[in-house]
Structures are given as C-alpha cells and as structure tokens.
Amino acid sequence: IKFSEIMPLVARCLHSGHAYFMVNNRYVAEAQNEALAAGFRFHNWLVWDKSTGTPNRWYMKNCEFTLFVFRGAANPINDCGSRQLIKCPNVIGGEHETQKPVPLMEHYIGNSTSPGQTILDPFMGSGTTGVAAVQMGRNFIGIEREPKYFDIACRRIEEAQRQGDMFIERASNG
C-alpha cells in the first residue's frame, strides 16, 4: 500500500485532531508530501530511539520516525513538556515483525486524546495501539488485513480489557 492511497483515506476519517504515521528513514519525504497533499497540516517529526539497532551496511538503524500531523484546529498536545526524541526499548521477539512497544503508543495516545475518545489504527498488526488505547480508557477501531495478526490483536486487546494497566513501563523523553 502506498502513502498516496493511505493518506486520503485516513484524512476522510479524521475531520479534526492529530494523526501519527510511523516510517523508517526511506519514507520520510514521501509520507510528509502525501500527508500534505491529502489535507493534513504538519506539526513535527518525532523520533523513537529503540535502544537496539538493526544491522545494516552503512549505519545500524536504531530509530524510527513518526510524522505528527493534524486536521482542523491546531490543538496543543496534552504534555507540552514532551520532546521530539522518545526513548523506549524495542520489542524483541514480539508477535509481529514490526511490533511497537505499548509505552510508546501510550505516549502518543496520551498526548493527543482524552479518555472516551476513539483511536483508529488502520494497520493494527498485533494490536499494540489497541492495547494502549483500552488501558488508557479510549475507544479503539483497528483494521488489519492479515487474519493471523487480526486474531493476535483481538486476543491481546481482550486481555488488556480484562487486565487493565498493570505497571507498564512508560516511554521517556530525552
């Protein structure tokens, strides 16, 4: 799926509010250009420091980039002391090859929503965003085209609904 297909669809779902798109360094320009073309307005680029690196011929990749955009009014984030660099250990041996840590998703959700609001993840994978959303008292809509991951996500979200927030390590800014 291409950003030129994704961005207009997400923009139609979000009339007002924040959106986060996680990409590796190869897709930074394309993601931003397509988001702007779809009617999003640019807030910032955020960087997730994974603490671990993926071997590479040039430099080990130890971070991911998050395009932080909005539609409607330019509302501030809930914690204006948050920084662009977010340090949070990568998930090792997770249930999806690009699984994100729950504390990272909690950080983004907590900065852009309030309890009772709805979170949409159009690429749900193993359901990390859904887990974070339900633990934080948000409603969640997830879309995943791979049945295997859809089933994993449903199981993880149902477990999170039953369990609640049990001392999950938080992401740190710095």
Side-chain angles (χ1 to χ4, degrees):
I1 297 178
K2 298 179 180 181
F3 284 110
S4 60
E5 298 170 359
I6 296 166
M7 295 299 181
L9 295 173
V10 176
R12 283 203 309 258
C13 295
L14 182 67
H15 301 288
S16 180
H18 297 159
Y20 296 83
F21 298 96
M22 299 185 80
V23 300
N24 69 26
N25 60 304
R26 295 181 65 198
Y27 299 103
V28 166
E30 179 185 347
Q32 184 170 345
N33 291 338
E34 294 299 337
L36 296 175
F40 284 101
R41 292 168 43 201
F42 178 76
H43 259 318
N44 213 333
W45 275 104
L46 308 175
V47 179
W48 167 35
D49 178 350
K50 301 180 187 185
S51 303
T52 59
T54 304
N56 191 302
R57 292 185 291 171
W58 297 282
Y59 288 95
M60 290 182 65
K61 297 181 184 285
N62 66 321
C63 62
E64 277 190 38
F65 301 89
T66 303
L67 174 61
F68 177 40
V69 293
F70 69 100
R71 288 184 43 89
N75 295 319
I77 59 174
N78 293 329
D79 178 2
C80 293
S82 294
R83 298 178 183 184
Q84 285 179 287
L85 178 65
I86 300 156
K87 296 179 181 182
C88 187
N90 195 11
V91 174
I92 306 296
E95 299 187 75
H96 190 280
E97 58 272 7
T98 62
Q99 186 169 323
K100 307 300 185 269
V102 172
L104 178 65
M105 296 298 103
E106 286 180 328
H107 179 74
Y108 291 153
I109 290 168
N111 260 339
S112 292
T113 64
S114 300
Q117 289 187 301
T118 301
I119 307 299
L120 168 66
D121 185 349
F123 304 97
M124 183 169 58
S126 62
T128 300
T129 302
V131 169
V134 300
Q135 287 179 338
M136 297 179 76
R138 274 62 166 182
N139 301 309
F140 179 73
I141 298 169
I143 302 167
E144 176 54 50
R145 68 181 181 178
E146 297 292 331
K148 170 187 172 182
Y149 294 121
F150 182 82
D151 291 343
I152 290 169
C154 288
R155 176 185 50 77
R156 289 183 68 213
I157 294 166
E158 288 168 1
E159 287 173 4
Q161 287 173 322
R162 284 192 300 273
Q163 186 176 39
D165 188 347
M166 298 291 292
F167 310 107
I168 293 175
E169 180 182 334
R170 303 284 180 224
S172 67
N173 292 300

